[in-house]
Amino acid sequence: MIPDDSAFCDQCGKELKWCPECKRPKRGMECPVCGSDLVPGTRYSAAKKTATDVKTAVALSGNGMRLILRAGAFGRRGGIWPELASCIYVSGNHGVIGGGPSGWTITDSGSTNGTKVNGVKLEPGKAAAIKTGDIIRIATLEFTVQ
């Protein structure tokens, strides 16, 4: 099940296509139900946002990297942050970043070396809210939410 605010697949990180009329992710170029042209997930989710939905956190910064926050899976095998591919302690499918009107979340996907938010290890499968100033540890890498 894909959350209504997802622009990217939570398994592979690929950008989703959405039907603006049916408000559901679809395959192809046009919706098989209503015939509307499908739009990229980032464009669809941006159109849904209002001024009150704006998130202040925009990136994770640390270890010589700046990882732009966006919804999707991340890990050494790919996803939203290809920069992690060379980090041997990051699991292949390490975790998922979620975003919605109430802010950003991070979820550990049962990684070997874990994920921490402000020093607290995340329980696999349970999302934790993140906000500007939080310290995120992905395996051995430490980032500050900006």
Side-chain angles (χ1 to χ4, degrees):
M1 191 65 158
I2 299 172
D4 288 344
D5 60 353
S6 293
F8 299 89
C9 173
D10 64 352
Q11 297 298 309
C12 70
K14 186 175 179 180
E15 186 172 30
L16 300 171
K17 297 262 187 172
W18 283 81
C19 174
E21 295 299 317
C22 297
K23 298 177 179 34
R24 303 293 310 153
K26 306 283 182 182
R27 291 184 181 163
M29 299 302 289
E30 66 179 43
C31 179
V33 177
C34 70
S36 295
D37 289 337
L38 299 181
V39 296
T42 50
R43 204 169 95 205
Y44 173 77
S45 61
K48 286 178 54 181
K49 293 178 184 173
T50 65
T52 59
D53 294 333
V54 175
K55 299 171 188 72
T56 56
V58 295
L60 300 182
S61 190
N63 300 287
M65 293 183 247
R66 182 170 167 83
L67 307 176
I68 303 303
L69 277 176
R70 60 182 180 188
F74 64 90
R76 201 174 62 250
R77 288 190 207 125
I80 59 172
W81 296 323
E83 299 91 336
L84 300 179
S86 63
C87 304
I88 62 172
Y89 295 105
V90 173
S91 293
N93 182 22
H94 198 96
V96 176
I97 295 291
S102 59
W104 294 103
T105 62
I106 187 167
T107 305
D108 186 271
S109 296
S111 65
T112 302
N113 293 306
T115 306
K116 293 181 180 180
V117 176
N118 296 323
V120 177
K121 186 172 182 175
L122 300 183
E123 188 176 324
K126 294 211 174 177
I130 57 174
K131 62 187 180 323
T132 302
D134 284 348
I135 304 296
I136 307 295
R137 189 170 183 88
I138 299 170
T140 59
L141 304 173
E142 191 166 278
F143 300 94
T144 302
V145 180
Q146 298 181 328

